[in-house]
Amino acid sequence: MARTLPYADMDKILSISKRRGFVFQSSEIYGGLGSTWDYGPLGVELKRHVKEAWWRSVVLDRDDMVGLDAAILMHPQVWVASGHVENFTDPLVECRSCNRRFRLDHLAEAAGIEMDPANPAKSLEALACPDCGGELGDPRQFNLMFKTFMGPVEETASEVHLRPETAQGIFVNFANVVNSTRKKLPFGIAQIGKAFRNEITPGNFTFRTREFEQMEIEYFVKPGTDEEWLQRWVQSRLDWYVEYGIRRENLRLRQHGSDELAHYAKDCYDIEYRFPWGWAELEGIASRTDYDLRQHAEHSGQDLTYFDEETKSRYFPYVVEPSGGLDRGVLAFWLDSYDEEPDGEAVRVVCRLHRKLAPVTVAVLPLSRNAKLVPAAQDVHARLRRHFTTQYDDAQGIGRRYRRQDEIGTPYCVTVDFDSLEDHQVTIRDRDTMHQSRIPIDELVFVLQDKVEHGW
Ligand code: GAP
């Protein structure tokens, strides 16, 4: 279905978000907590469906992948070995007048200045505080990891970090997974989970926050085949976003320059989305070589090599890492689905979310609150809710209810009317075409399952 708008206006999404229950400000009754967000009743379903679509695509539909759910808290040595204690930093500058803090690289980028990472202070000469125009202080490296204490005593020895990426949980379990699954190279481990970063300048709604979820894969390959696998994963991950509804023209690939590669990466491509404020990263696909396994082997004293039965040799596999942000994915799918079309004198707002991602898959609507219609509609709802994410709505006129479902992206509405009581059929209405068809109630589950799987 061709969409009218090239992309959504952030304010419109924010308005739907709060009004309809997608995302709320965290701790709102206390004035909120900077850049932390809570997913409401609809947001949590949208997010769950994005996770399910990802898990199906990268784990369940493949023979070469398995899943993992590692703990957020890990041994402190993990972050020393991974290089995060030393290198997971951003250049921070503080305004000498208003004391606001900024990421120097963000300020330089906004001003169109090329920052020299070896000499960040040099870019300061051309910069001033974007808020008050004041002079900026000397830059310093700020570590983004959150710290907390394990156990009752708050001392250095009990310090642990909240993980800044889920990836390390996969690396430290590499040998466990190989030994328990007998997986042979190439194979990958996938994980969805929370990550925490004490970002200097969070913002743009759920795009950059201090607590977020990642969907990460560590894909282990024979050294020498890593370049080929990097290209395969870049294509496969790009295709996934398009398959689930993001228009190709709103996505682009960007290869990292050598000066912006993370400390562990040899090569990296970002999949970027055209957010309302400009192109920005949705997912990074990095070539991490054998950096992490080598580091953990060295620091833990454990053998993390792989025994290759073909060549009868032991080596550290190389790693290709597709790492996506779940919250950013949710935001991009949602923004890209937003559409408006003329509806007589009015405007129909419709979120054309992919049918497998929409928070509500099927809405059941009795034509009215008539005493005979309500039990019939509730019976239909009871049949459907075991198979789909459903919503029952009988408040206000049917036209308004259709519009409400359009706005939240519900692909199918099932209407129970007076004829249903006689002919045991209901009407299915399609969100995008607004086409309606009569279906026997006994065939409803099957017909809807077919539609969800294959579309109209
Ligand atoms: N393990 C590799 C890694 O963590 P990254 O590029 O730092 O790589 C991966 O993060 C993804 O996590 C990003 O592409 C982005 O979608 C998401 N992400 C990173 N920082 C984020 C933040 N502060 N808020 C929301 N999502 C974030």
Side-chain angles (χ1 to χ4, degrees), residues 402 413-417 425-429 436-439:
Y402 282 148
C413 288
V414 169
T415 310
V416 180
D417 58 22
Q425 298 198 12
V426 288
T427 301
I428 301 183
R429 173 201 182 257
Q436 303 197 358
S437 53
R438 292 292 280 181
I439 304 289

Side-chain angles (χ1 to χ4, degrees), residues 63-65 174 177-179 181-188 219-222 306-310 315 317:
D63 293 326
D64 58 347
M65 293 283 306
F174 172 73
V177 173
V178 171
N179 294 336
T181 64
R182 309 261 148 226
K183 281 278 172 209
K184 304 274 172 275
L185 296 186
F187 80 92
Y219 196 77
F220 301 95
V221 303
K222 251 185 187 174
Y306 170 83
F307 181 68
D308 188 327
E309 276 166 14
E310 264 176 39
Y315 53 82

